[in-house]
Amino acid sequence: MFPIVHVGSGKEMTMGESENEKVIVKWNKSVHVFGERLMRFPSLGWKVIWNVGYEDPRRVIHAFKVGLSLTLASLLYLLEPIYNEMGQSAIWAVMTVVVVLEFTAGATLCKGLNRGLGTLIAGLLAFMVGYIANASSGRISQAVIIGAAIFFIGALATYMRFIPYIKKNYDYGLVIFLMTFNLIALSSYRVENVLKIAHDRLFTIAVGCAICLIMSLLMFPNWSGEDLHNSTAFKLEGLAKSIEACVNVYFYGETDSPEDSNSSEDPIYKGYKNVLDSKSIDEMLALHASWEPRHSRYCHKFPCQQYVKVGAVLRQFSYTVVALHGCLRSEIQTPRSVRAMFKDPCIRVAAEVSKVLIELSTSIRNRRHCSPEILSDHLHEALQDLNNAIKSQPRLFLGSKHKHNHANNMLKLAAAQLGQHGKASGFSLSSVKTDSSALLEWKTKRDSLIQSKENERKSLRPQLSKIAITSLEFSEALPFAAFASLLVETVAKLDLVIEEIEELGRLSCFKEFRAGDEIVVTCEEPLVDVTRNNLPSHGIE
């Protein structure tokens, strides 16, 4: 008999122990990381809470207003005398406060009046349908009348929601009307005293809307019109900052490549981002502002639609700024030696454009008309200097005949190389043998040749484009020509911006410009971002 030897048992134990140790170490590390994150969570949470209130202190006030409104509405349910009178319907006041009370007074008025009007009309109509149904002889006819009324009124109200004017101003009221009418009409079939149900619900919703209106209009009100007014001034400042930063980076800093650029952290992008994203925000603020009363000192009418027009013109202006920013990230860049020849006039033009935009922002912020000399002679002089500088260097933009012939020769050489590659990679079917081994060999060879042909073609395509571009003399000045033309385009579009803002000042009754008014050019980043203060409404109840 042969002795039994347990070969490798000690080694297996060692391996098992090492694996257990690895699992324990990994578990301890995970526990340690989780503990560190748990320890940092209070500080991180407090930092986020502090930053939200620091960015706009009105958010803290609004939070206290909502809490106080909910407490007042809850008294209808908590106080025994009121609850004994209202019953379960008292809870509708709390639900109304949750849904109706918005950040601005205009949004609260819009939703509150829509909700109250929709509930009132639905209650009256449901009572009429219930009265007609109860006048019928049997339960079957009563059910048919209620069902037919629900069908026709539901279909009609839903169809009316597609009308643009109604969808824009009264869509929420129609939704509340549909829901309230169905609830009361169906309740009338099972409950005898349906009038009390309609009365209680209407009363509690009216109480909830009244609490919301009082809190929004009388206690530290936030006006949608003011937010729209301030956001317009901020957008002008952002565009001014973007234009000046574009020119400074183009002549003094390093231009960005498309691979290394991060648009979310780019200060130039941040300047015009709010303008590009402002269409829906402007329309919403203008809609809510149209519901607000005249709260200014002079009780002037707030021109909501004119602010929307100004926003549209600013978006058209910002498209040029976006293209100007794109020149910084172009694959083809003008050498610094060429750019330096046009640096001074370009910087002067950008500075004058920024000065005009800042003056427009200041006029809106201070509610006064623009200076009559807003388009000063300095801007025209800067444009003339840029024009003279470009005319003084015609060879940079026109090229020469010798360089043109050299470009054609380079292109012909590249085409000849492409033809040679195509011939070298070709194959003939007549040379293929008929046996299976030769057929397999031919397939392998064919696949390798096709693959090599594709690789050569892919590598040759960028070579052709680079040869064609670098061999042209005017390619050095071509990117700058695009940059300069876009810079001049910003000057051309200033007239449209000034015209709309002057119309805004006329409709808003801005005060006249006086010679003693100082023009202070500042481009500070505002702390208040009005686009983040519109809380979404989740549901209708």
Side-chain angles (χ1 to χ4, degrees), residues 156-168:
L156 179 61
T158 303
Y159 185 79
M160 291 177 62
R161 294 182 63 191
F162 293 106
I163 300 175
Y165 178 78
I166 293 179
K167 184 175 182 62
K168 180 180 178 182

Side-chain angles (χ1 to χ4, degrees), residues 9-83:
S9 60
K11 185 176 180 181
E12 292 175 0
M13 270 179 124
T14 305
M15 291 178 62
E17 291 177 357
S18 62
E19 291 179 358
N20 292 333
E21 290 178 357
K22 290 181 180 179
V23 172
I24 293 173
V25 170
K26 186 177 181 180
W27 174 257
N28 291 335
K29 185 177 180 181
S30 301
V31 172
H32 181 69
V33 172
F34 177 77
E36 289 182 349
R37 292 179 179 177
L38 194 62
M39 293 292 293
R40 291 198 304 266
F41 180 78
S43 59
L44 291 176
W46 172 251
K47 184 178 180 181
V48 171
I49 293 173
W50 175 264
N51 289 336
V52 169
Y54 179 76
E55 289 175 359
D56 190 354
R58 297 182 302 170
R59 298 170 183 169
V60 181
I61 299 175
H62 178 70
F64 279 104
K65 287 163 61 175
V66 172
L68 181 59
S69 301
L70 290 173
T71 304
L72 293 176
S74 300
L75 294 178
L76 298 178
Y77 200 84
L78 297 175
L79 297 178
E80 289 295 334
I82 301 178
Y83 179 77

Side-chain angles (χ1 to χ4, degrees), residues 43 83 106 108 117 133 172 179 214 303 305 329 368 417 427 439 448 474-475 500 517:
S43 59
Y83 179 77
T108 303
L117 188 63
Y172 180 73
M179 185 187 63
I214 291 173
Q305 295 306 315
R329 301 180 176 182
R368 63 165 175 79
Q417 292 177 357
F427 54 87
L439 182 61
S448 62
F474 65 83
S475 64
E500 293 296 336
D517 294 340

Side-chain angles (χ1 to χ4, degrees), residues 352-420:
E352 293 297 329
V353 172
S354 299
K355 182 179 178 182
V356 172
L357 293 175
I358 292 299
E359 162 60 15
L360 293 174
S361 174
T362 305
S363 67
I364 292 177
R365 194 184 302 279
N366 297 333
R367 287 182 168 83
R368 63 165 175 79
H369 288 282
C370 303
S371 170
E373 300 178 356
I374 185 171
L375 291 176
S376 62
D377 295 335
H378 298 291
L379 179 58
H380 298 288
E381 292 174 1
L383 286 174
Q384 189 63 39
D385 292 343
L386 178 59
N387 186 37
N388 295 334
I390 292 175
K391 287 183 177 180
S392 65
Q393 302 292 335
R395 291 178 59 85
L396 288 174
F397 301 94
L398 297 178
S400 63
K401 183 178 180 181
H402 173 72
K403 287 291 182 180
H404 181 69
N405 294 333
H406 178 67
N408 291 334
N409 293 334
M410 295 295 290
L411 290 174
K412 290 179 181 179
L413 179 60
Q417 292 177 357
L418 178 61
Q420 292 177 1

Side-chain angles (χ1 to χ4, degrees), residues 230-283:
N230 294 330
S231 67
T232 304
F234 292 154
K235 286 185 289 188
L236 286 165
E237 291 181 359
L239 289 174
K241 185 163 58 175
S242 293
I243 292 174
E244 205 159 7
C246 275
V247 176
N248 289 334
V249 171
Y250 191 76
F251 289 103
Y252 293 109
E254 292 292 335
T255 55
D256 300 330
S257 62
E259 293 81 5
D260 300 335
S261 60
N262 188 357
S263 59
S264 61
E265 299 179 358
D266 195 339
I268 302 175
Y269 172 75
K270 291 180 179 179
Y272 61 76
K273 177 181 179 296
N274 290 333
V275 184
L276 297 177
D277 300 337
S278 64
K279 185 176 186 298
S280 60
I281 300 297
D282 289 350
E283 292 178 352

Side-chain angles (χ1 to χ4, degrees), residues 56-198:
D56 190 354
R58 297 182 302 170
R59 298 170 183 169
V60 181
I61 299 175
H62 178 70
F64 279 104
K65 287 163 61 175
V66 172
L68 181 59
S69 301
L70 290 173
T71 304
L72 293 176
S74 300
L75 294 178
L76 298 178
Y77 200 84
L78 297 175
L79 297 178
E80 289 295 334
I82 301 178
Y83 179 77
N84 293 333
E85 181 68 23
M86 304 299 301
Q88 295 290 336
S89 299
I91 201 65
W92 288 104
V94 179
M95 299 177 67
T96 300
V97 170
V98 173
V99 175
V100 171
L101 188 55
E102 296 286 341
F103 184 80
T104 61
T108 303
L109 280 167
C110 179
K111 297 191 73 174
L113 296 179
N114 268 274
R115 188 177 180 87
L117 188 63
T119 303
L120 177 62
I121 297 176
L124 294 176
L125 191 59
F127 175 74
M128 292 175 58
V129 171
Y131 180 79
I132 295 173
N134 291 330
S136 61
S137 58
R139 297 286 289 177
I140 297 177
S141 59
Q142 184 179 358
V144 170
I145 293 173
I146 293 176
I150 289 176
F151 171 78
F152 285 111
I153 293 176
L156 179 61
T158 303
Y159 185 79
M160 291 177 62
R161 294 182 63 191
F162 293 106
I163 300 175
Y165 178 78
I166 293 179
K167 184 175 182 62
K168 180 180 178 182
N169 295 277
Y170 303 105
D171 185 70
Y172 180 73
L174 278 174
V175 174
I176 295 298
F177 166 80
L178 276 175
M179 185 187 63
T180 305
F181 174 78
N182 279 271
L183 290 177
I184 297 178
L186 290 175
S187 299
S188 65
Y189 184 74
R190 298 294 181 183
V191 181
E192 294 183 358
N193 193 6
V194 69
L195 182 61
K196 186 178 186 305
I197 297 176

Side-chain angles (χ1 to χ4, degrees), residues 207-329:
V207 171
C209 290
I211 293 174
C212 294
L213 295 179
I214 291 173
M215 290 293 175
S216 296
L217 297 177
L218 301 181
M219 292 188 61
F220 304 101
N222 300 320
W223 304 104
S224 297
E226 290 293 327
D227 284 351
L228 182 59
H229 179 87
N230 294 330
S231 67
T232 304
F234 292 154
K235 286 185 289 188
L236 286 165
E237 291 181 359
L239 289 174
K241 185 163 58 175
S242 293
I243 292 174
E244 205 159 7
C246 275
V247 176
N248 289 334
V249 171
Y250 191 76
F251 289 103
Y252 293 109
E254 292 292 335
T255 55
D256 300 330
S257 62
E259 293 81 5
D260 300 335
S261 60
N262 188 357
S263 59
S264 61
E265 299 179 358
D266 195 339
I268 302 175
Y269 172 75
K270 291 180 179 179
Y272 61 76
K273 177 181 179 296
N274 290 333
V275 184
L276 297 177
D277 300 337
S278 64
K279 185 176 186 298
S280 60
I281 300 297
D282 289 350
E283 292 178 352
M284 181 185 63
L285 290 176
L287 173 63
H288 294 162
S290 63
W291 289 82
E292 293 176 350
R294 300 183 182 184
H295 54 274
S296 62
R297 182 173 58 180
Y298 302 102
C299 291
H300 296 311
K301 183 180 179 181
F302 188 80
C304 311
Q305 295 306 315
Q306 185 60 31
Y307 278 96
V308 176
K309 291 181 180 179
V310 172
V313 172
L314 290 181
R315 280 191 297 276
Q316 293 292 331
F317 185 89
S318 66
Y319 297 151
T320 307
V321 183
V322 174
L324 199 68
H325 189 200
C327 293
L328 304 181
R329 301 180 176 182

Side-chain angles (χ1 to χ4, degrees), residues 465-541:
S465 61
K466 289 183 179 179
I467 290 173
I469 293 172
T470 57
S471 61
L472 300 178
E473 183 183 7
F474 65 83
S475 64
E476 293 184 348
L478 184 61
F480 171 76
F483 184 85
S485 64
L486 290 171
L487 193 60
V488 175
E489 183 69 14
T490 59
V491 180
K493 289 185 176 180
L494 276 178
D495 290 332
L496 297 176
V497 178
I498 295 173
E499 181 181 352
E500 293 296 336
I501 292 180
E502 280 294 328
E503 180 66 16
L504 174 65
R506 186 185 66 81
L507 295 176
S508 300
C509 300
F510 285 175
K511 62 183 179 181
E512 294 295 331
F513 178 83
R514 293 177 298 180
D517 294 340
E518 297 181 357
I519 301 176
V520 181
V521 180
T522 58
C523 281
E524 297 180 358
E525 183 176 358
L527 291 177
V528 179
D529 186 2
V530 298
T531 62
R532 298 174 57 188
N533 289 332
N534 296 282
L535 302 178
S537 299
H538 302 286
I540 60 174
E541 285 298 332

